[in-house]
Amino acid sequence: MVNVCGLVTAKQEPVPLKSIEVELEVRDHVATVVSTLLYENKEDKPIEAVFVFPLPGDAAVCHFSATIGQTQIVAEVKEKQEAREEYDDALSSGQQAFLLEESEQSPDIFTLSVGSLPPGESASIRLEYVTELAVQADDGLRFCLPAVLNPRYRPRGSEGGEGAGVQVTSVPASLVPYSLSFSARVSSPRPVTKVESSCSLEPLQYLDTERTQASVKLAAGHRFDRDVELLIHYKDAHRPTAVAEAGQASAKPGTLMADPAVMLSLYPEFPESVMSSVASRGEFVLLMDRSGSMGSPMTNSKRHQTRISSARDTLLLLLKSLPMGCHFNIYSFGSAYEHVFPQSVEYSEKTLEEALRRVEAMDADLGGTEILQPLKHILSQPCIPSQPRQLFVFTDGQVANTKEVMSLVRKNSGSHRCFSFGIGEGASSALINGLAKEGGGHAQFITGTDRMQPKVMQSLRFALQPTVVDISITWDLPEGVSVTVLSPPITALFQGQRSLIYAQLSGESSEAAEGCVTVKYSLAAHPSQNQLRFSLKPAEDSGSTVHRLAARTRIRSLETEGQQGGGVKEKVVELSVQSGVSSSFTAFVAVNKGSGEPVRGPLVRRDVPTPDLRNAICGKRRQFRPMDLACDEEEHATPQQFCRDPLLQLVSLQKASGCWLPDPALAASLGKTSEETEKTKPPSANRELWATILALIWLHGVKVDAKEEWELLAMKAVSWLRAQNAPCMAECVEAGNTLLGCSVQKDVLGL
């Protein structure tokens, strides 16, 4: 039983954080998040409370303030060392002070220090950030409030740097001593069709008859065993939009905050003829995390499949869906790394069988999460002519050297595309999104009861689509108006996926009220273009969200350039201070300089714990301990055996060429005996042809709801059938439907 003071550490020290209240406002695809943290010192001595917590990796933190009694102190952004010295000096002189800083190793970890909180006193901390919502496979927009900060593994001998050894105190999720309340308000020009969540929500409330505004709340009693995830669905979500925002009159002339800013959202739609074609070439390199934490259950429950088991099933589907003529290899990593083949090999029945045999034996038994070394090895391999390299990375994303990894992928972005998958709660958004962004690919997160397979197969479809080339952006602006693009160049476009462009507009035009931007690109030798118009004279009271997101985008680009040399720190600090948006080189600092009595006596440090899912799933209480972000992964938990899904059973029997062979296992997958399948085979059909048609009919007739998972391997089967050019195809389809109790037409099968 946890007592009222929240005694949660091994030394039975009270935790001063009492509650977190989060208010989310979503406007179309942009979210503003306001978090209020209530601290209370119930001890008889002054304390310093330190809380290390996660935020979305692409969030722009833009406000930080503290309220003590009736006094509110708004923090300023300052160069990080200057901010730390001001905070330390304030504590030394008995003043109350507050410091918020971003980790220099990973932009999704922040440290909040509340200093000199006297006995019996309370402080309310307000933290605000803005972020864009990511587009999901089903066109929903994903918002994630990270409630879980998993310990980050630091490889031996990796770069440390200031703040590298951030201490995280953790407790089992069920024993977190503070509460969380969460409410969201959603508005859009288009109707909100539904809001889903991995957590329990109160019913969605519509606020207008057009259903363009809605509100929703997290049900009481959130247990901190998962991130708070919302999936928001709009009607007609793929409409391109342009949002222009007026500059601030109080800002220094000529700066980003003083000029109008524009945010353009583009959704390229490619011709159906091009989209239906699938590349038969490519080098597919699959990199699988086998660290100890991959032995955790997918849903923080011992009854569910483990992360590594789900990943094995996904690799089976992925390997079976690769096209004949491609090359492939599989790497797995933990504290060390392994590969199936010394270098990528041609896809054939023999190499596929060897790969599947090795995948079946993969377990979460390789220790820590050292992703940098296998990536260095993969990216140093010579590329195969006419086989574009496609890298698929599967990880639960618990690394501390995120920026080193990003730098490597960026350096090699000309030789590959990277598709990343964050598995389980607490996967680092900075790592998963960064891998895809720097590698010109696409990122997916698999949490809660999500199935990994459809998300991975969507990314495989992206990888098999023709690559978009010759991307160019031209601006049509009236005389007197110029543009500074703040976003990095667009290097990848995918069907139905949003691309964002931020820009600063300078100067004025007396006659024209509109500007126009044109994005041109070429896909499979088809030149295409998208045009979007935007206002040059936005309303004066349009807020500052676009400016803050634009500043965050430019800051991230400059930080990237800084890793390659060049004096960009000064530019980052200047823009961060001007815009009030955090960076790795700055911090928010607030000092209470009121006339109150100085706080006397030595300060006692109190670390606020974050939920540790690795303890939560053990089913028993452990002693709570501080965990360093650089700690080793947990001991591997033995995976439980799960009955194989009939779909995966059928898929496992398909040959590399796309056909199936008739055998008892295939008959059993179809719910029949060998005698039944043999007896109903048309006399003129050969046995492989008959088995393949039966498998296709079963997929279309019984597993149509999982079509996105098997569509690519079915296309391969159809190609094999067409190559047989057998005259008895229609007769086989009719006999197969009769046997399986289906009514799938020949044209539906693609024959």
Side-chain angles (χ1 to χ4, degrees):
M1 181 75 180
V2 180
N3 73 20
V4 289
C5 285
L7 298 178
V8 294
T9 64
K11 298 177 186 173
Q12 297 208 332
E13 294 164 342
V15 171
L17 177 60
K18 299 303 169 192
S19 65
I20 303 175
E21 179 187 337
V22 179
E23 295 171 293
L24 166 68
E25 182 170 357
V26 177
R27 292 190 177 178
D28 212 13
H29 64 264
V30 172
T32 301
V33 184
V34 178
S35 295
T36 305
L37 296 87
L38 181 63
Y39 286 82
E40 192 177 342
N41 182 8
K42 290 193 171 181
E43 301 188 59
D44 57 4
K45 43 193 173 291
I47 62 168
E48 178 190 25
V50 180
F51 187 25
V52 180
F53 60 95
L55 284 182
D58 52 2
V61 178
C62 51
H63 175 89
F64 175 54
S65 61
T67 304
I68 302 109
Q70 302 301 309
T71 308
Q72 186 192 33
I73 317 143
V74 178
E76 294 177 69
V77 178
K78 298 191 176 181
E79 190 276 325
K80 189 173 272 185
Q81 194 54 39
E82 184 188 338
R84 285 173 177 166
E85 287 171 5
E86 185 174 333
Y87 175 79
D88 290 340
D89 289 348
L91 298 197
S92 300
S93 59
Q95 292 177 306
Q96 291 174 312
F98 307 86
L99 182 70
L100 179 70
E101 49 187 330
E102 177 186 309
S103 161
E104 283 166 28
Q105 298 305 310
S106 190
D108 59 350
I109 298 177
F110 281 74
T111 301
L112 167 60
S113 303
V114 176
S116 291
L117 197 57
E121 193 151 304
S122 300
S124 176
I125 308 294
R126 181 184 168 97
L127 167 71
E128 184 177 332
Y129 64 87
V130 287
T131 186
E132 305 112 347
L133 305 187
V135 182
Q136 297 302 287
D138 60 359
D139 297 336
L141 293 170
R142 178 180 185 262
F143 168 78
C144 181
L145 177 74
V148 176
L149 176 55
N150 292 322
R152 302 288 173 88
Y153 182 83
R154 175 165 300 288
R156 293 179 294 274
S158 68
E159 294 173 21
E162 188 77 54
V166 180
Q167 282 275 331
V168 178
T169 303
S170 61
V171 298
S174 59
L175 300 184
V176 169
Y178 43 88
S179 62
L180 172 69
S181 64
F182 175 88
S183 61
R185 186 184 175 107
V186 181
S187 61
S188 169
R190 302 176 289 286
V192 181
T193 53
K194 62 178 173 177
V195 177
E196 301 171 301
S197 179
S198 57
C199 303
S200 298
L201 298 178
E202 292 182 6
L204 185 68
Q205 304 281 329
Y206 285 104
L207 306 176
D208 63 344
T209 51
E210 292 81 25
R211 298 195 161 198
T212 59
Q213 296 184 51
S215 67
V216 71
K217 286 183 179 177
L218 187 66
H222 180 68
R223 291 194 319 235
F224 284 95
D225 59 344
R226 66 195 68 183
D227 295 338
V228 178
E229 189 178 39
L230 286 189
L231 290 172
I232 300 163
H233 297 261
Y234 298 129
K235 188 178 179 184
D236 191 20
H238 278 203
R239 194 178 299 165
T241 55
V243 179
E245 192 176 81
Q248 297 173 358
S250 59
K252 182 181 171 185
T255 63
L256 166 61
M257 301 308 285
D259 286 338
V262 62
M263 173 176 66
L264 307 170
S265 308
L266 301 163
Y267 286 92
E269 297 289 345
F270 303 149
E272 180 57 39
S273 58
V274 176
M275 296 315 301
S276 58
S277 66
V278 171
S280 61
R281 297 199 161 281
E283 180 197 7
F284 295 88
V285 181
L286 316 178
L287 178 59
M288 172 65 67
D289 187 341
R290 287 174 56 194
S291 60
S293 53
M294 286 289 286
S296 305
M298 285 292 291
T299 61
N300 308 323
S301 160
K302 279 192 162 185
R303 294 188 301 278
H304 286 88
Q305 192 177 22
T306 60
R307 295 173 184 176
I308 192 72
S309 172
S310 181
R312 280 197 303 264
D313 288 348
T314 304
L315 281 190
L316 165 68
L317 260 183
L318 207 153
L319 288 168
K320 293 286 186 175
S321 301
L322 292 179
M324 293 296 281
C326 76
H327 286 63
F328 79 108
N329 201 356
I330 303 171
Y331 289 77
S332 56
F333 69 95
S335 300
Y337 66 91
E338 300 174 357
H339 45 66
V340 172
F341 306 106
Q343 57 268 325
S344 293
V345 295
E346 190 168 348
Y347 184 76
S348 67
E349 189 57 45
K350 184 182 176 188
T351 55
L352 175 62
E353 276 187 15
E354 172 61 15
L356 289 172
R357 188 181 66 77
R358 294 283 293 274
V359 166
E360 196 59 37
M362 282 185 181
D363 226 329
D365 54 3
L366 290 185
T369 313
E370 298 204 19
I371 194 172
L372 191 63
Q373 294 310 315
L375 277 175
K376 278 182 178 174
H377 176 80
I378 290 165
L379 296 174
S380 69
Q381 300 297 302
C383 290
I384 302 167
S386 304
Q387 300 276 3
R389 179 174 290 160
Q390 315 273 12
L391 177 60
F392 282 63
V393 180
F394 300 84
T395 178
D396 56 11
Q398 300 174 17
V399 302
N401 57 341
T402 303
K403 290 190 176 177
E404 273 183 274
V405 175
M406 295 305 99
S407 178
L408 174 70
V409 173
R410 185 183 314 115
K411 231 179 280 178
N412 291 275
S413 59
S415 66
H416 77 290
R417 284 199 290 182
C418 183
F419 297 86
S420 55
F421 305 92
I423 302 170
E425 311 296 338
S428 165
S429 61
L431 177 72
I432 305 305
N433 287 326
L435 282 169
K437 190 173 180 181
E438 300 297 351
H442 186 248
Q444 304 262 25
F445 289 86
I446 299 113
T447 58
T449 55
D450 288 352
R451 278 176 62 77
M452 195 183 301
Q453 290 86 341
K455 295 194 173 190
V456 174
M457 297 315 290
Q458 187 206 29
S459 291
L460 179 57
R461 276 192 289 276
F462 284 153
L464 289 169
Q465 287 170 12
T467 306
V468 175
V469 294
D470 302 331
I471 303 171
S472 67
I473 298 173
T474 52
W475 298 78
D476 182 10
L477 298 167
E479 195 174 340
V481 179
S482 61
V483 65
T484 304
V485 179
L486 303 169
S487 307
I490 295 175
T491 56
L493 288 172
F494 296 108
Q495 165 74 9
Q497 292 297 303
R498 184 187 63 218
S499 291
L500 288 168
I501 302 170
Y502 291 97
Q504 174 182 351
L505 301 171
S506 306
E508 285 186 23
S509 166
S510 52
E511 70 277 358
E514 272 195 336
C516 179
V517 65
T518 304
V519 180
K520 295 182 179 178
Y521 52 88
S522 182
L523 179 73
H526 293 259
S528 298
Q529 68 175 48
N530 291 134
Q531 269 195 340
L532 202 52
R533 298 193 166 276
F534 54 91
S535 168
L536 292 174
K537 297 181 177 171
E540 290 300 319
D541 58 350
S542 46
S544 54
T545 301
V546 171
H547 281 79
R548 287 164 169 172
L549 288 169
R552 188 280 324 274
T553 300
R554 183 65 186 138
I555 284 168
R556 291 283 182 254
S557 296
L558 285 168
E559 287 172 340
T560 298
E561 290 170 27
Q563 290 171 344
Q564 298 164 350
V568 298
K569 178 180 175 181
E570 294 75 16
K571 290 183 193 171
V572 171
V573 171
E574 183 182 22
L575 180 53
S576 179
V577 169
Q578 278 175 4
S579 62
V581 170
S582 64
S583 76
S584 61
F585 297 125
T586 54
F588 282 91
V589 64
V591 176
N592 186 2
K593 295 175 178 170
S595 56
E597 283 290 306
V599 180
R600 304 194 183 281
L603 282 186
V604 179
R605 175 173 166 137
R606 292 288 179 249
D607 292 307
V608 177
T610 56
D612 175 16
L613 298 187
R614 306 175 319 158
N615 284 340
I617 62 170
C618 290
K620 61 181 181 185
R621 282 196 190 177
R622 296 193 192 158
Q623 193 170 34
F624 318 138
R625 64 197 193 285
M627 285 195 187
D628 188 52
L629 283 182
C631 74
D632 275 336
E633 300 285 1
E634 63 180 315
E635 287 296 309
H636 164 62
T638 306
Q640 299 177 9
Q641 294 301 307
F642 291 86
C643 297
R644 175 158 266 178
D645 177 281
L647 172 61
L648 292 173
Q649 182 61 33
L650 182 84
V651 168
S652 70
L653 299 170
Q654 189 187 30
K655 297 299 176 185
S657 63
C659 75
W660 274 266
L661 302 181
D663 69 11
L666 175 65
S669 297
L670 303 173
K672 300 294 174 187
T673 64
S674 293
E675 291 74 22
E676 286 174 306
T677 56
E678 194 58 44
K679 193 168 64 184
T680 49
K681 179 181 80 66
S684 56
N686 77 42
R687 297 175 77 235
E688 286 84 359
L689 183 106
W690 172 235
T692 304
I693 286 177
L694 284 178
L696 279 177
I697 290 172
W698 187 85
L699 289 171
H700 282 275
V702 179
K703 287 290 179 182
V704 71
D705 57 333
K707 187 176 181 181
E708 56 198 347
E709 298 181 35
W710 52 257
E711 192 171 25
L712 289 170
L713 59 90
M715 286 167 68
K716 204 158 68 162
V718 169
S719 297
W720 181 86
L721 284 169
R722 283 183 181 149
Q724 308 311 301
N725 201 19
C728 59
M729 212 79 81
E731 187 186 355
C732 287
V733 172
E734 190 178 338
N737 274 314
T738 303
L739 173 66
L740 299 175
C742 299
S743 53
V744 181
Q745 300 301 308
K746 187 179 165 189
D747 58 337
V748 172
L749 296 177
L751 298 173

